[in-house]
Amino acid sequence: MTSNRTPPPFGRTLCAMITPFTEAGALDLDGARRLAAHLVANGCDGLVLNGTTGESPTTTDEEKTRLVEAVREAVGDRASLVAGVGSADTRHTVELALAARKAGADGVLVVTPYYSRPPQEAVAAHFRRVADASGLPVMLYDIPGRTGTRIEPETLIRLAEHPRIVAVKDCSYDFLGTQKVLAHTGLAYYAGCDEHVLALYALGAAGCVSTVANAVPAHIAAIPAAFDAGDTGRARRLQLAATPLIEAMLGAGLPGTVTAKALLTRLGLPAGPVRAPLLPADRETTDGLLTHYEALRTL
């Protein structure tokens, strides 16, 4: 069975990549190159850089640009690069988008402006201004649990008319709203919550932006691949098998950045420490993550 889906704009399995740091806390560009190459070699056809998992609140504008440049050098045209450029300031977001384009990004991820809680017309104006200025295709990021403001389905339907607004990273936890947008637009939806990879893909989503893929890229990539091949039973088994690791990495009260870096470090992959105000995972948590990883790896 072959898929008759529209080709996704940024790939199908995107990893929300952590940003490796040295033990001293500096940007580790060599580690970023090695990790990016590893993720792409193991099933990711896209990488999201400088997102929340990439510790964007605590990296400088210069570090963000250097990271995109280094990863582009490492993966070439083997994967798409989507650069997180979201901020609470429209002017700054535009600056970051222009810098990402110059650094070699294929698209930009733009989160709803946070803290100020703008009304929907202001949210839409923010996204349109960034899309007009960036020159790159835009993935909107709907995550009201972090920003305090969601992108309402009606707003997404209006924004879909913009030629550069092409995709949504969906962390809204609103399946009804998601279905409304899928039914009325051509926006490419990406599951931003790892527990929703198969569910959204079955509804017609383009793929996923996965934090768990930092640790198990091949497993996450295999879920939509099995569905496309017509083996929905295997797709279901793969999704359910990943549940303990997903819960340990994302549902145990720690940010995914913390758990991903703890697990990657234990696996000998580039990661390094987290930056304050985040704190590292303790040994018990890391041991649990490794147990779930090993169980999944043996499937």
Side-chain angles (χ1 to χ4, degrees):
M1 178 179 175
T2 58
S3 173
N4 59 359
R5 295 170 184 262
T6 301
F10 302 116
R12 183 174 62 186
T13 304
L14 282 66
C15 178
M17 196 178 99
I18 59 106
T19 299
F21 299 134
T22 67
E23 287 307 312
L27 185 64
D28 180 4
L29 292 178
D30 180 61
R33 293 184 189 96
R34 289 188 287 119
L35 179 60
H38 164 80
L39 293 170
V40 172
N42 284 277
C44 294
D45 54 358
L47 301 172
V48 173
L49 307 174
N50 299 321
T52 309
T53 304
E55 296 179 80
S56 58
T58 54
T59 55
T60 67
D61 291 1
E62 180 184 1
E63 286 175 326
K64 290 177 173 66
T65 296
R66 292 173 65 201
L67 181 68
V68 174
E69 291 172 341
V71 172
R72 174 55 76 201
E73 177 187 343
V75 304
D77 60 1
R78 292 178 292 131
S80 64
L81 299 185
V82 179
V85 299
S87 77
D89 174 2
T90 303
R91 175 194 53 80
H92 188 208
T93 302
V94 167
E95 291 175 355
L96 290 172
L98 293 173
R101 180 185 181 184
K102 186 176 180 181
D106 298 300
V108 289
L109 176 69
V110 188
V111 74
T112 316
Y114 40 85
Y115 192 74
S116 57
R117 302 189 71 169
Q120 289 299 296
E121 281 306 311
V123 168
H126 171 84
F127 289 134
R128 290 191 185 104
R129 183 170 167 189
V130 177
D132 287 341
S134 70
L136 289 174
V138 173
M139 180 188 291
L140 305 180
Y141 188 6
D142 189 14
I143 183 167
R146 285 185 183 261
T147 65
T149 304
R150 75 160 303 181
I151 315 171
E152 296 291 347
E154 293 75 15
T155 303
L156 285 166
I157 290 169
R158 292 197 304 273
L159 287 169
E161 298 172 1
H162 194 290
R164 287 202 189 101
I165 295 176
V166 300
V168 178
K169 179 183 177 185
D170 183 24
C171 290
S172 67
Y173 286 94
D174 176 11
F175 269 90
L176 179 60
T178 293
Q179 289 178 67
K180 287 172 65 176
V181 180
L182 283 169
H184 290 94
T185 76
L187 288 172
Y189 257 72
Y190 287 84
C193 305
D194 279 88
E195 64 270 33
H196 292 169
V197 171
L198 178 57
L200 267 184
Y201 200 70
L203 284 173
C208 62
V209 176
S210 168
T211 295
V212 174
N214 279 282
V216 287
H219 188 99
I220 298 299
I223 297 170
F227 190 90
D228 279 348
D231 194 345
T232 56
R234 173 172 166 76
R236 175 180 177 274
R237 291 191 297 273
L238 288 166
Q239 179 72 61
L240 293 179
T243 300
L245 182 60
I246 292 170
E247 184 174 21
M249 289 186 68
L250 302 173
L254 290 175
T257 304
V258 172
T259 55
K261 282 197 162 184
L263 185 50
L264 288 176
T265 297
R266 190 68 70 87
L267 296 175
L269 289 164
V274 292
R275 285 182 176 173
L278 297 178
L279 293 173
D282 59 29
R283 181 167 183 169
E284 181 181 0
T285 298
T286 307
D287 287 345
L289 290 165
L290 188 61
T291 297
H292 293 306
Y293 167 84
E294 291 290 354
L296 196 58
R297 192 171 67 92
T298 58
L299 286 176

